[in-house]
Amino acid sequence: MGNRPEELRALIDSVAKQDGDPVQIAVVGNGSPVPEVPEGVRTTELPENLGIPGGRNVGIEMFGPAGREVDILLFLDDDGLLARTDTAELCREAFTADPELGIVSFRIADPDTGETQRRHVPRLRASDPMRSSRVTTFLGGANAVRTRVFAEAGLLPADFFYAHEETDLAWRALNAGWQIDYRSDMVLYHPTTAPSRHAVYHRMVARNRVWLARRNLPLPLVPVYLGVWLLLTLLRRPSGAALKAWFGGFKEGWTSSAGPRRPMKWRTVWRLTRLGRPPVI
């Protein structure tokens, strides 16, 4: 967004220090000017904020259609910092060793405490963030994606703007036969924050949850999935204003276009279930 030039420069420096072959870097000014960056960094400035998935899609195609000029793309939040110098090499090794691996989700840790928030472990059993495992989704601000995933499953859903775009891509990738790993040894330092700091959080979380289900789930699972999330939302007892925004977004998800519907196969539902997260929660 152009308001963290010092953090962005620190992130770029941490990428430049990676072991092995140099990592090409692209910076997208998502509705803002790009701060001064080192020579050789690719940049583009968008006239308006396209949202998180829209901005990342532009970044993908800075490396050709669906990113095909390269084999792997890393996505890193501009206020993050790679904690180690071997992360890129670990990515190369992981994708080389497992031809079915499509996406790797990094561990996000607070730079001061080293702690990983429970919401940053992309599985239901999240009490041990140091345990790596197969998962069914990934963290948007700290991940690596094999570019063949974009060629086969498509890019991120730009209309989502914010929230659940990673799960939409993850479900499509799993449906295409790819695997997703959470790796605790690939670490991005990032200050601890609350997602609700964003003014649009409650509305877009609800709207996009409906879109996610309408786009990807077999019809019998759509009401089950959304009913479970409605119940969970009520059990969390949000404030009156938050609940009003949430229900407004929930309604918007039903009354607006969710985009193309490509329901996952039932065998993908079974894969998600075996991985510990059936697509009803």
Side-chain angles (χ1 to χ4, degrees):
M1 297 302 296
N3 57 358
R4 294 190 284 236
E6 294 180 4
E7 292 90 339
L8 173 63
R9 184 57 184 261
L11 171 64
I12 291 173
D13 289 346
S14 76
V15 175
K17 292 175 183 176
Q18 291 298 299
D19 302 334
D21 294 335
V23 178
Q24 299 179 59
I25 302 173
V27 176
V28 178
N30 203 357
S32 68
V34 175
E36 184 178 350
V37 295
E39 185 177 353
V41 174
R42 305 184 189 195
T43 64
T44 190
E45 295 181 356
L46 306 179
E48 63 177 310
N49 179 5
L50 300 183
I52 294 172
R56 287 182 179 149
N57 285 344
V58 170
I60 293 167
E61 303 218 310
M62 289 171 71
F63 296 95
R68 67 186 181 192
E69 293 176 9
V70 294
D71 297 321
I72 304 165
L73 282 172
L74 308 182
F75 296 87
L76 305 170
D77 274 357
D78 65 354
D79 56 345
L81 185 75
L82 289 176
R84 299 166 40 160
T85 61
D86 63 349
T87 302
E89 283 289 80
L90 289 172
C91 282
R92 294 183 183 106
E93 292 169 4
F95 285 107
T96 300
D98 186 353
E100 294 184 351
L101 181 61
I103 303 172
V104 174
S105 188
F106 298 0
R107 181 167 65 88
I108 294 179
D110 185 273
D112 297 321
T113 66
E115 293 182 2
T116 296
Q117 291 181 272
R118 187 180 181 90
R119 70 184 181 88
H120 283 153
V121 182
R123 59 177 179 245
L124 291 179
R125 296 177 181 175
S127 58
D128 182 7
M130 301 307 295
R131 179 173 66 87
S132 300
S133 69
R134 292 281 201 213
V135 289
T136 62
T137 189
F138 64 99
L139 304 175
N143 66 80
V145 182
R146 195 189 298 267
T147 53
R148 283 177 53 201
V149 171
F150 297 123
E152 296 180 14
L155 302 182
L156 292 157
D159 287 345
F160 279 40
F161 197 87
Y162 169 83
H164 303 319
E165 67 273 3
E166 302 94 347
T167 300
D168 187 87
L169 175 59
W171 283 0
R172 285 183 281 122
L174 290 164
N175 198 50
W178 295 102
Q179 300 280 6
I180 305 172
D181 279 356
Y182 165 73
R183 289 284 295 265
S184 64
D185 56 340
M186 300 182 189
V187 182
L188 183 81
Y189 282 150
H190 187 281
T192 299
T193 57
S196 55
R197 71 191 186 279
H198 298 290
V200 297
Y201 173 77
H202 295 287
R203 179 176 69 85
M204 289 194 175
V205 160
R207 183 197 67 182
N208 293 357
R209 184 79 70 184
V210 177
W211 281 358
L212 179 69
R214 290 176 57 198
R215 287 162 58 93
N216 295 287
L217 291 181
L219 281 175
L221 295 185
V222 172
V224 180
Y225 177 82
L226 295 176
V228 167
W229 278 105
L230 173 60
L231 178 60
L232 287 173
T233 300
L234 294 175
L235 289 174
R236 290 168 179 167
R237 303 177 68 181
S239 68
L243 196 60
K244 181 179 179 181
W246 194 94
F247 274 109
F250 193 79
K251 178 181 178 181
E252 185 181 350
W254 285 108
T255 58
S256 58
S257 173
R261 175 169 163 76
R262 299 186 181 96
M264 65 179 66
K265 307 178 187 76
W266 281 103
R267 66 184 180 188
T268 304
V269 173
W270 177 235
R271 280 186 67 197
L272 290 162
T273 303
R274 286 191 293 112
L275 288 169
R277 189 150 197 167
V280 293
I281 188 170

